Amino acid sequence: QVQLVESGGGLVQPGGSLRLSCAASRSISSIYAMGWSRQAPGKQRELVAGFTSGGRTNYADSVKGRFTISRDNFKNTVYLQMNSLKPEDTAVYYCSAQIVSQSDPYWGQGTQVTVSS
């Protein structure tokens, strides 16, 4: 099991930046996959960025070149650096962790990101 706590959301103007953090309750170095997803009102949750323990990283096309996922194994924390934010990035952002391959993911409670002038 793992508990995930997101932070760092807020209100930002278009073109601005935010960094989200996801603190895990256990070591993340052996977790199979972790990632960030988002859900806007009336829309399905979508994967924004993720990585596997093997080093593979993937991004949604809509955020490539603007968002960067990273991790700090010593702090058991995963980050999502979001630059050049757009109003369409407005959503609740969730951190997830898949302990082993093909297992159901654990989710955090989410953090709201609002991009508006």
Side-chain angles (χ1 to χ4, degrees):
Q1 287 187 341
V2 61
Q3 283 76 49
L4 304 170
V5 179
E6 302 98 333
S7 61
L11 173 65
V12 63
Q13 292 186 342
S17 298
L18 281 176
R19 188 178 79 158
L20 305 183
S21 299
C22 171
S25 61
R26 52 161 281 180
S27 171
I28 65 172
S29 59
S30 61
I31 291 178
Y32 171 70
M34 296 191 70
W36 288 94
S37 298
R38 66 187 180 187
Q39 188 166 20
K43 295 187 177 181
Q44 289 188 330
R45 190 175 298 189
E46 61 171 349
L47 179 67
V48 173
F51 63 81
T52 65
S53 58
R56 186 178 63 187
T57 303
N58 61 289
Y59 294 93
D61 288 343
S62 58
V63 307
K64 283 181 180 177
R66 301 188 298 122
F67 291 10
T68 303
I69 189 171
S70 62
R71 59 182 167 178
D72 185 331
N73 287 345
F74 292 104
K75 295 183 178 179
N76 296 326
T77 301
V78 176
Y79 302 99
L80 184 68
Q81 178 66 43
M82 306 186 295
N83 298 328
S84 301
L85 283 161
K86 304 175 182 180
E88 50 264 45
D89 294 318
T90 295
V92 178
Y93 283 71
Y94 297 91
C95 179
S96 65
Q98 189 179 10
I99 304 299
V100 296
S101 177
Q102 299 183 340
S103 64
D104 290 334
Y106 292 88
W107 296 93
Q109 83 288 350
T111 185
Q112 176 71 46
V113 172
T114 302
V115 185
S116 175
S117 55

